[in-house]
Amino acid sequence: MVGLPARGKSFISQKSKYIESIKTFMWSIILTIFKSVVRYLSWLSIKAKSFNVGSYRRQNHKHPDAEFFDIRNKEGWQKRQEAAEQAVTDMMNWFSDEQGVVAILDATNATRERRDWILRLCRENSIEPMFLESWCDDEKIIKKNILDVKATSPDYEGLNQEDAYEDFLKRIAKYEENYEPLDEIASKDLTFVKLINVSQQVIINKIETYLESRIVYYVMNLHIKPRCIYLSRHGESMYNLEGKIGGNADLSERGFQYAKKLPELVKQLAGDDHQKLTVWTSTLVRTQQTAEHLPYNQLQWKALDELDAGACDGLTYEEIERKFPDDFKQRDENKYEYRYRGGESYRDVVIRLEPIIMELERQENILIITHQAVLRCIYAYFMNVPQEESPWMSIPLHTLIKLEPRAYSTLVQRLKADIPAVSTYKERGTSRLGEIEDANNKSKHLITGEPVSADHPLAIK
Amino acid sequence: MVGLPARGKSFISQKSKYIESIKTFMWSIILTIFKSVVRYLSWLSIKAKSFNVGSYRRQNHKHPDAEFFDIRNKEGWQKRQEAAEQAVTDMMNWFSDEQGVVAILDATNATRERRDWILRLCRENSIEPMFLESWCDDEKIIKKNILDVKATSPDYEGLNQEDAYEDFLKRIAKYEENYEPLDEIASKDLTFVKLINVSQQVIINKIETYLESRIVYYVMNLHIKPRCIYLSRHGESMYNLEGKIGGNADLSERGFQYAKKLPELVKQLAGDDHQKLTVWTSTLVRTQQTAEHLPYNQLQWKALDELDAGACDGLTYEEIERKFPDDFKQRDENKYEYRYRGGESYRDVVIRLEPIIMELERQENILIITHQAVLRCIYAYFMNVPQEESPWMSIPLHTLIKLEPRAYSTLVQRLKADIPAVSTYKERGTSRLGEIEDANNKSKHLITGEPVSADHPLAIK
């Protein structure tokens, strides 16, 4: 059956808007797109959630075989219909009760009839629908997709590889039987995006609102080639030694040691991939000094500069607490929203980082050398860390982090250089910083970035 | 003939890259797109230029009738081929001699043969081609386009409306005869964008590089509905009175007077359109105080904040000259590139304004209340002002500017409130500011923004 056109489909909408997927054959690609869109929108403070019909169905029918998906199988059809209804009901409640903005209805809807049903429901609830279809006739992509699905789908949990593969091919055939692709002409009044062979060709129809346009541009820029992002703060700086924030100080002696050590750390963590690296730094001296021994192409981004502390630039936390006691308290109460007098908030940093994230999604292997707050924001995007937590994450100095985005999650590894550095981590409610950050002392997890728990978004595995 | 499918075509490329247009029927749309793309890229410091084959042809054949475009007309065919060859030669020279990055080859190329010829030339010169086709079957758009063309095309200069209309319909028929649209399947190895009914449907194929992706996103967001952009600086501030730059000061008494007067000025300049306005301000107090009497939806943008003067924030120009004499000189020498210590350059401001420009292109009527440097950058985008001049433009206080983008140029009107304000204009080589800016004294054109000359990019007509 491999070689038959394999496709996948999906949808979106807005007043709020929703995205609906027919994630049959291009399942792993669609899954990556949907997971990424939810993560991207949430990171931009746009309330987004995915409703997966498959997981509703699995509550009653955990491991269906291919026959379950035959259109002539009455019981199967009924169960799938019930799951879809339940997902749509929950989605509508989420829109109205929780002021949701973008819902993704992640469901197998291969027929025009099913899509019309969803369209009607959306219209009745003043939800603007946007459809996303993924179509594919590239054998390589199809094969990779089938391998990914049988390796990762909860439907095949516990089944051996051979049987899962066999069954999945059969399931594709069942979908093939009654799959009706979106038609560019007949559907010309619908808002839709059709991806052909991932994003080799993209057809965009009636994209009108700002949010639609942002989502489309984001999806266009996603690729599914494996790649890694490497993150590091600059080496310890003279300001770090003095406990001052902001400024444009040089590295300390230990900071320069880290810069010297960095090429070796990169090789160790990146393996053969290190040859294909590009380095991004901010425009501040300390990131460029940190990058100076790295033998790769380098690019400076103003958007990677540290969060602007405005009136507090160059002060220590103790001085800030003394000079601006109210501000100091306010910042601890809502660190994400707090904007320094004449400076920036974490939210401001996220907005100026958006083009960086877009470009990161287009690129392959990138090493970013930047600053504590900026790194927290980038890390939060890839790891889906909620806003109330991200400004409190510990990202220690002299540590190289490797992120490996996958369909289900992003893998994280970190490598600590054997070079001590001060801690720049300020705990809530105090102006004191942590103790000297000793590479060999792993007990202070908030300072050294030790795993909190495997599932916790702060976890650096 | 009206009602027959009317289309237009075009192309692009990169190592450098070029855009080639078959601008037959969708001529005015394609023209708007091409002019805008060149303006947008130039504004982002990406060297771009358009090569119009029609204007090469007109050097030898000023007012051709429809017969000239008949494929059986040997003389016509020859002259058009010569013009195309000359345009392509000049384009290739521009790439190699002037390090051009994006060329637009704005030509009538309706046949596959002609496109293959251009493709071959590009490949031989290591230029990556990107094709842009505009296809249309919407009668309303076609009619509007025909009316625009006969009103504006240099080919019909001096001809009466009726004859021009008649001849243009005939010319369309000539093109119809041998027009071969880009085929989505046969052309699947080409990088192309196909616009259907302006941007109702957009087909994007093999977009791979960053620059391609930026151009595509920009083109997707352009619309051709008539609309106006209104610009104003905040009212005079306390810092303006003291000659200080930066900060977050309140308005002066006269500044508050301007805020009170602004709703009336807006009504006067916008007419009935004023009801559909949205107001954008920066996050700084003085722009919000200026907007406070405006009865329209308002939106705050951090990206509209004034250029960050870093270490010079809160100083007068005289203090800057005394404290940082070298910096003061450097800034006068290259004001566009000069980055304040710990602050921004004009280039930095342009980069952070890019999402604002993108959103402005998507919107209809917007009133922006912002700051001197930011307003210069926005104005420079719409008026295509070169970088070496834009930081020196005079944008006086207490003046409302109206921009009306058209296919050929942007119309500008300004309305000065009868409320005096200090001048904040610093001439090159001095730390002194202009005198009090008196609404009734129009002699100091650099301060009041009087027209320099009708063609000059600084001209505010």
Side-chain angles (χ1 to χ4, degrees):
Chain A
M1 222 67 79
V2 178
L4 251 192
R7 313 140 196 162
K9 281 219 227 172
S10 5
F11 302 18
I12 313 189
S13 82
Q14 175 196 7
K15 152 198 169 172
S16 300
K17 69 171 46 220
Y18 84 100
I19 309 187
E20 158 94 15
S21 112
I22 298 171
K23 55 165 184 34
T24 60
F25 324 123
M26 298 315 293
W27 198 76
S28 75
I29 293 167
I30 284 289
L31 187 75
T32 303
I33 293 176
F34 282 177
K35 291 235 168 211
S36 303
V37 168
V38 169
R39 202 156 44 79
Y40 171 69
L41 294 173
S42 307
W43 185 72
L44 289 172
S45 304
I46 297 164
K47 200 165 179 172
K49 190 174 175 180
S50 183
F51 295 83
N52 176 280
V53 172
S55 65
Y56 283 84
R57 187 254 304 146
R58 266 188 293 277
Q59 288 167 8
N60 292 315
H61 210 97
K62 222 169 168 101
H63 300 299
D65 59 14
E67 290 309 314
F68 182 83
F69 297 94
D70 192 314
I71 199 154
R72 286 154 299 224
N73 181 337
K74 281 234 169 103
E75 194 216 333
W77 189 89
Q78 173 105 22
K79 285 206 166 141
R80 285 155 66 204
Q81 180 63 23
E82 278 166 17
E85 277 170 18
Q86 218 184 322
V88 169
T89 305
D90 283 358
M91 182 181 82
M92 293 302 176
N93 289 339
W94 176 79
F95 274 130
S96 57
D97 300 347
E98 299 186 42
Q99 287 76 51
V101 179
V102 179
I104 293 186
L105 184 58
D106 179 5
T108 42
N109 282 272
T111 65
R112 202 166 301 137
E113 192 193 344
R114 176 61 73 95
R115 295 193 299 264
D116 285 345
W117 170 69
I118 286 157
L119 192 60
R120 208 175 52 244
L121 282 175
C122 280
R123 294 269 152 85
E124 282 168 17
N125 288 276
S126 307
I127 305 293
E128 280 297 322
M130 173 167 151
F131 296 73
L132 175 68
E133 178 174 36
S134 173
W135 200 95
C136 183
D137 62 3
D138 180 317
E139 258 191 59
K140 257 200 222 151
I141 303 176
I142 295 167
K143 277 188 187 160
K144 188 186 170 304
N145 185 59
I146 292 176
L147 292 171
D148 283 357
V149 171
K150 71 183 175 86
T152 55
S153 169
D155 282 352
Y156 296 121
E157 230 171 44
L159 224 64
N160 72 50
Q161 293 260 331
E162 294 286 292
D163 292 349
Y165 190 72
E166 190 83 357
D167 186 82
F168 189 61
L169 291 185
K170 272 193 205 147
R171 195 198 286 192
I172 292 181
K174 295 295 175 198
Y175 279 119
E176 266 306 313
E177 261 183 71
N178 41 46
Y179 171 42
E180 297 166 310
L182 265 180
D183 180 294
E184 283 110 83
I185 293 158
S187 305
K188 77 175 173 34
D189 293 328
L190 288 182
T191 294
F192 71 80
V193 182
K194 183 168 183 153
L195 303 174
I196 296 167
N197 294 329
V198 190
S199 55
Q200 223 254 340
Q201 189 171 103
V202 184
I203 302 175
I204 295 162
N205 197 69
K206 271 198 99 174
I207 298 298
E208 283 166 355
T209 70
Y210 176 66
L211 202 45
E212 285 166 356
S213 131
R214 300 297 325 177
I215 294 172
V216 169
Y217 186 56
Y218 179 75
V219 169
M220 268 169 57
N221 283 321
L222 285 178
H223 66 73
I224 52 157
K225 289 174 228 154
R227 56 79 177 257
C228 293
I229 313 280
Y230 301 86
L231 304 172
S232 172
R233 291 175 63 188
H234 54 79
E236 184 188 68
S237 77
M238 294 308 288
Y239 259 38
N240 290 153
L241 281 182
E242 299 166 53
K244 289 180 178 171
I245 64 169
N248 194 10
D250 288 318
L251 293 186
S252 71
E253 208 189 304
R254 295 190 299 204
F256 281 116
Q257 280 171 30
Y258 178 67
K260 261 205 179 133
K261 181 91 176 178
L262 195 51
E264 196 188 312
L265 297 180
V266 170
K267 274 191 196 162
Q268 213 175 318
L269 211 51
D272 288 344
D273 273 357
H274 87 90
Q275 283 148 335
K276 292 176 285 176
L277 268 182
T278 301
V279 179
W280 293 359
T281 63
S282 77
T283 66
L284 298 168
V285 178
R286 56 194 185 277
T287 62
Q288 285 159 34
Q289 288 175 343
T290 307
E292 72 185 343
H293 302 294
L294 292 165
Y296 315 111
N297 281 340
Q298 304 204 359
L299 209 63
Q300 282 179 34
W301 293 84
K302 174 87 183 159
L304 287 174
D305 281 3
E306 181 55 314
L307 185 148
D308 180 358
C312 296
D313 190 86
L315 303 182
T316 65
Y317 286 117
E318 275 165 18
E319 286 166 341
I320 297 170
E321 189 175 19
R322 222 178 307 127
K323 237 176 136 175
F324 306 106
D326 285 352
D327 290 63
F328 190 79
K329 251 179 88 183
Q330 270 176 42
R331 187 159 200 260
D332 268 2
E333 273 158 23
N334 191 345
K335 198 171 173 188
Y336 189 80
E337 299 287 352
Y338 174 79
R339 181 179 273 157
Y340 276 111
R341 295 176 182 218
E344 291 178 302
S345 65
Y346 270 83
R347 180 184 295 283
D348 293 331
V349 173
V350 160
I351 289 165
R352 75 160 141 94
L353 281 177
E354 199 271 351
I356 297 272
I357 291 296
M358 200 64 92
E359 189 48 19
L360 263 181
E361 287 296 357
R362 297 180 40 75
Q363 295 287 337
E364 303 195 7
N365 298 316
I366 302 288
L367 163 56
I368 304 178
I369 298 175
T370 180
H371 308 266
Q372 181 163 256
V374 173
L375 215 151
R376 280 176 177 146
C377 294
I378 296 172
Y379 188 87
Y381 167 77
F382 283 104
M383 300 304 289
N384 209 7
V385 183
Q387 286 167 2
E388 55 284 12
E389 291 178 28
S390 63
W392 294 104
M393 279 188 294
S394 159
I395 311 266
L397 287 166
H398 298 182
T399 306
L400 181 64
I401 299 170
K402 175 183 182 176
L403 301 178
E404 198 180 340
R406 297 272 181 92
Y408 268 96
S409 59
T410 300
L411 301 184
V412 188
Q413 277 182 279
R414 78 187 173 98
L415 189 58
K416 210 158 169 17
D418 193 14
I419 300 163
V422 295
S423 164
T424 58
Y425 189 85
K426 182 190 98 54
E427 281 187 57
R428 207 187 288 249
T430 164
S431 60
R432 283 189 314 275
L433 294 170
E435 291 155 47
I436 288 262
E437 193 160 344
D438 179 348
N440 301 314
N441 178 354
K442 307 231 170 180
S443 65
K444 300 183 293 290
H445 75 250
L446 271 169
I447 293 165
T448 59
E450 277 300 287
V452 179
S453 101
D455 294 329
H456 194 281
L458 295 183
I460 299 185
K461 286 160 213 157
Chain B
M1 226 65 78
V2 177
L4 251 191
R7 314 141 196 164
K9 283 219 225 172
S10 6
F11 302 19
I12 313 188
S13 82
Q14 172 195 5
K15 150 191 167 184
S16 303
K17 67 172 46 221
Y18 82 100
I19 308 188
E20 157 95 11
S21 113
I22 298 170
K23 58 168 181 32
T24 60
F25 323 124
M26 299 313 296
W27 197 76
S28 75
I29 294 167
I30 285 288
L31 188 74
T32 303
I33 293 175
F34 282 178
K35 291 236 166 210
S36 303
V37 169
V38 169
R39 201 155 47 75
Y40 170 70
L41 294 174
S42 307
W43 185 72
L44 289 173
S45 305
I46 295 164
K47 198 163 182 174
K49 191 174 175 180
S50 183
F51 295 83
N52 177 280
V53 171
S55 64
Y56 282 84
R57 187 253 304 148
R58 266 188 295 277
Q59 289 169 7
N60 293 317
H61 209 100
K62 220 169 171 99
H63 300 299
D65 58 14
E67 291 308 316
F68 182 83
F69 297 93
D70 191 314
I71 198 153
R72 286 152 300 223
N73 181 333
K74 282 234 169 102
E75 194 215 334
W77 189 89
Q78 173 105 25
K79 284 205 168 144
R80 286 154 68 204
Q81 180 63 25
E82 279 167 16
E85 278 170 18
Q86 218 182 321
V88 169
T89 305
D90 284 359
M91 182 180 83
M92 293 303 177
N93 288 339
W94 176 80
F95 274 130
S96 56
D97 300 348
E98 299 185 42
Q99 287 76 50
V101 179
V102 179
I104 293 186
L105 183 58
D106 179 6
T108 42
N109 282 271
T111 64
R112 201 164 303 137
E113 191 193 344
R114 176 60 72 96
R115 295 193 299 265
D116 286 346
W117 172 68
I118 286 158
L119 193 59
R120 206 176 51 245
L121 282 174
C122 281
R123 295 268 153 86
E124 283 169 16
N125 289 276
S126 308
I127 306 293
E128 280 297 321
M130 171 167 154
F131 296 75
L132 175 69
E133 177 173 37
S134 174
W135 199 96
C136 183
D137 61 2
D138 179 318
E139 259 191 56
K140 259 201 220 150
I141 302 175
I142 295 167
K143 277 187 184 160
K144 188 186 169 304
N145 185 60
I146 291 177
L147 291 171
D148 283 357
V149 171
K150 71 186 174 85
T152 53
S153 168
D155 282 351
Y156 296 121
E157 230 172 43
L159 224 64
N160 72 50
Q161 293 261 330
E162 294 288 291
D163 293 349
Y165 190 72
E166 190 82 358
D167 186 81
F168 190 61
L169 292 186
K170 271 193 206 148
R171 196 197 286 192
I172 291 181
K174 296 294 176 200
Y175 280 119
E176 266 307 313
E177 262 182 70
N178 42 46
Y179 171 41
E180 296 165 312
L182 264 180
D183 181 298
E184 283 110 83
I185 292 157
S187 306
K188 77 175 174 32
D189 293 328
L190 288 181
T191 294
F192 71 80
V193 181
K194 183 167 184 155
L195 302 174
I196 296 167
N197 295 327
V198 190
S199 54
Q200 224 254 340
Q201 188 171 104
V202 184
I203 302 174
I204 295 161
N205 197 69
K206 270 197 101 172
I207 299 297
E208 282 167 356
T209 70
Y210 177 66
L211 201 45
E212 286 166 356
S213 134
R214 299 297 324 176
I215 294 172
V216 169
Y217 186 57
Y218 179 75
V219 169
M220 267 169 58
N221 283 321
L222 284 178
H223 65 75
I224 53 159
K225 289 175 228 155
R227 57 80 178 258
C228 293
I229 313 281
Y230 301 86
L231 304 172
S232 173
R233 292 175 62 188
H234 54 80
E236 184 188 70
S237 75
M238 296 307 289
Y239 259 37
N240 291 154
L241 281 182
E242 299 166 52
K244 289 179 178 171
I245 64 169
N248 193 11
D250 288 319
L251 294 186
S252 71
E253 209 189 304
R254 296 190 299 205
F256 281 116
Q257 281 173 30
Y258 177 68
K260 259 202 178 138
K261 182 91 175 179
L262 195 51
E264 197 188 311
L265 297 180
V266 171
K267 275 191 195 163
Q268 214 176 317
L269 210 52
D272 288 344
D273 273 357
H274 86 89
Q275 284 148 333
K276 292 175 286 176
L277 268 182
T278 301
V279 180
W280 292 359
T281 63
S282 77
T283 66
L284 298 168
V285 177
R286 56 196 186 275
T287 63
Q288 284 159 35
Q289 287 175 343
T290 306
E292 72 185 343
H293 302 294
L294 292 166
Y296 315 110
N297 282 339
Q298 304 202 359
L299 209 62
Q300 283 180 33
W301 294 83
K302 175 84 184 164
L304 287 174
D305 281 3
E306 181 56 313
L307 185 147
D308 180 358
C312 296
D313 190 85
L315 303 183
T316 65
Y317 286 117
E318 276 163 20
E319 286 166 340
I320 297 171
E321 190 176 16
R322 220 176 311 127
K323 237 176 134 174
F324 306 105
D326 285 351
D327 290 63
F328 190 80
K329 253 179 88 182
Q330 270 176 40
R331 186 160 199 260
D332 268 3
E333 274 158 23
N334 191 346
K335 199 171 172 188
Y336 189 80
E337 299 286 353
Y338 174 79
R339 182 179 271 159
Y340 277 111
R341 295 176 181 219
E344 290 179 303
S345 65
Y346 270 83
R347 180 184 296 281
D348 292 331
V349 173
V350 160
I351 288 165
R352 76 160 141 96
L353 281 176
E354 200 269 353
I356 297 272
I357 291 296
M358 199 64 93
E359 188 49 19
L360 264 180
E361 287 297 357
R362 297 181 39 78
Q363 295 287 337
E364 304 198 5
N365 298 314
I366 301 287
L367 162 57
I368 304 178
I369 299 176
T370 180
H371 307 266
Q372 182 164 258
V374 173
L375 215 151
R376 279 176 178 147
C377 294
I378 296 173
Y379 188 88
Y381 167 76
F382 283 103
M383 300 304 288
N384 209 6
V385 182
Q387 286 167 0
E388 55 283 12
E389 291 178 27
S390 63
W392 295 103
M393 279 189 296
S394 159
I395 312 267
L397 287 165
H398 298 183
T399 305
L400 183 63
I401 299 170
K402 176 182 180 176
L403 301 179
E404 198 178 340
R406 298 273 182 91
Y408 268 96
S409 58
T410 300
L411 300 183
V412 189
Q413 275 183 283
R414 76 187 175 100
L415 189 59
K416 210 158 169 17
D418 193 14
I419 300 163
V422 295
S423 163
T424 57
Y425 190 84
K426 183 190 96 57
E427 281 187 56
R428 208 188 287 249
T430 160
S431 61
R432 283 189 316 277
L433 294 170
E435 292 155 47
I436 288 262
E437 191 160 346
D438 178 348
N440 301 314
N441 179 351
K442 308 232 170 179
S443 64
K444 299 183 292 293
H445 77 249
L446 271 170
I447 293 166
T448 60
E450 277 302 285
V452 180
S453 102
D455 293 329
H456 194 281
L458 295 182
I460 299 186
K461 288 160 210 157

